[in-house]
Amino acid sequence: MRKLIKRLHWLDYVIVAVIVGFAAVIVLRIGGALNYDWRWEKIPNYMFRYRESEDRWVANLLVQGLVATIRISIYASILALILGVILGIARCSVNLTIRMLARTYLEFLRNVPPVVVIFIFFFFLSEQLIQAMNMERWAREIARSDSNAVWTFLFGDMRRFPALISGIIVLALFESAFVGEIVRAGIQSVEKGQREAARSIGMSHFQELRYIVLPQALRKVLPPLANQFISLVKDSSLVSLISVPDLTFKTVELVASTRLIFEAWLTAAGFYFVVCFGLSVLFRRLERR
């Protein structure tokens, strides 16, 4: 902490003072002009509540939404990475048809507003897929069974499993377009001479990708991929539009039932900041290694 203080410039103190002053003006305006009654003491009750029937503290609306957001972000990140790598490789394919199909998919998603994409994929793909697989009935049967502890740990309330899966699929399909372009740029950044050398020693196209191109490309694309996954956490709030019970959806419920408008949204913003900042620190350490 002392080393950090010594490195601070006088301009840093000015910036901090301006930010603090700006925040103070906003708080005073809300309390004065809007005649808003701050009730921060009620927020902890909506993070955790005491369940007398089980004699223990359990997660309430805000923490439930935070956990759901983390689940959605993790699963959507994994699926988006898999799809993005496939799309990135397809964008560099020697086959014109494969290359054009991948480019069409990427260009469409990157140039259409995310809200529109969310609704298109939800109603025309994920919702149809869930109905075709009869996933709602399967999830209800697991929810009623006594041995659902593992499923609950991985996916939360199994009665909301179809909505969770819809959110994961929709978010992954949207984010995979950006991951695909990042992977494509990483593959094309590898020098052609290395590919020619791989072919000269008899490597197949798959071996060239597996042993020469992808290891170098993935190392180069780690920083932009890290930024994209942090953006994915923030973009996960969009799935609340299709009734997925994430942090944003739970915050809307809390505001509607208690009118704790500023307290609830500031708390939700704090949760998003902690998650995204933690990921930023983690990825920064990975980049150094």
Side-chain angles (χ1 to χ4, degrees):
M1 182 60 71
R2 292 180 179 178
K3 292 181 180 179
L4 178 61
I5 294 176
K6 289 181 179 179
R7 286 189 296 176
L8 291 177
H9 192 262
W10 65 267
L11 186 59
D12 297 322
Y13 293 103
V14 173
I15 294 174
V16 171
V18 170
I19 293 174
V20 172
F22 182 71
V25 169
I26 292 177
V27 172
L28 291 175
R29 288 286 297 173
I30 293 174
L34 299 180
N35 195 25
Y36 186 79
D37 183 22
W38 293 92
R39 293 174 291 171
W40 282 105
E41 69 279 0
K42 294 184 178 294
I43 290 297
N45 296 328
Y46 294 99
M47 294 182 184
F48 297 95
R49 63 186 178 87
Y50 185 74
R51 183 177 291 173
E52 295 182 357
S53 59
E54 300 179 8
D55 193 27
R56 65 187 181 94
W57 289 90
V58 296
N60 208 347
L61 284 175
L62 291 174
V63 175
Q64 289 173 1
L66 175 62
V67 173
T69 292
I70 293 174
R71 285 195 184 106
I72 292 170
S73 300
I74 292 174
Y75 299 145
S77 296
I78 296 172
L79 184 56
L81 180 61
I82 295 171
L83 294 175
V85 171
I86 295 173
L87 287 168
I89 294 173
R91 283 280 283 114
C92 302
S93 174
V94 295
N95 187 297
L96 179 61
T97 302
I98 295 176
R99 195 165 64 246
M100 292 305 297
L101 286 174
R103 182 172 182 177
T104 301
Y105 178 87
L106 296 175
E107 293 296 339
F108 173 75
L109 291 183
R110 293 174 63 218
N111 294 285
V112 174
V115 175
V116 177
V117 174
I118 291 289
F119 282 115
I120 289 175
F121 277 128
F122 175 69
F123 289 111
F124 291 99
L125 186 60
S126 65
E127 185 69 11
Q128 304 300 322
L129 181 64
I130 288 172
Q131 291 180 4
M133 297 178 64
N134 202 12
M135 197 174 291
E136 291 185 1
R137 180 180 177 183
W138 173 77
R140 285 196 299 267
E141 290 177 355
I142 292 179
R144 295 192 191 103
S145 66
D146 296 329
S147 57
N148 64 347
V150 176
W151 290 101
T152 301
F153 175 77
L154 292 175
F155 300 104
D157 187 357
M158 289 302 296
R159 292 172 298 181
R160 306 303 299 271
F161 180 77
L164 181 72
I165 293 299
S166 295
I168 291 171
I169 293 174
V170 167
L171 192 62
L173 290 172
F174 173 69
E175 295 293 336
S176 65
F178 298 91
V179 175
E181 275 299 281
I182 293 172
V183 173
R184 189 269 309 164
I187 291 174
Q188 292 182 344
S189 69
V190 178
E191 297 178 2
K192 292 184 179 179
Q194 298 192 41
R195 301 181 186 180
E196 294 172 355
R199 294 178 195 141
S200 67
I201 61 175
M203 281 190 173
S204 65
H205 182 66
F206 175 78
Q207 290 175 327
E208 174 191 332
L209 286 173
R210 168 67 178 82
Y211 297 106
I212 305 298
V213 178
L214 287 181
Q216 297 181 70
L218 292 178
R219 181 177 295 180
K220 293 180 179 180
V221 302
L222 181 59
L225 278 180
N227 291 332
Q228 190 60 44
F229 289 147
I230 292 173
S231 297
L232 186 147
V233 176
K234 295 181 288 184
D235 291 341
S236 66
S237 61
L238 293 172
V239 300
S240 63
L241 297 173
I242 54 176
S243 301
V244 178
D246 70 326
L247 179 56
T248 301
F249 185 84
K250 293 291 187 180
T251 304
V252 172
E253 286 186 340
L254 178 59
V255 171
S257 60
T258 64
R259 309 305 298 173
L260 296 172
I261 301 173
F262 293 104
E263 296 92 338
W265 285 115
L266 288 174
T267 303
F271 281 149
Y272 279 114
F273 174 81
V274 169
V275 173
C276 294
F277 183 74
L279 287 174
S280 177
V281 173
L282 175 62
F283 286 130
R284 195 178 301 127
R285 291 184 178 180
L286 289 176
E287 290 173 19
R288 290 174 183 172
R289 293 185 180 181

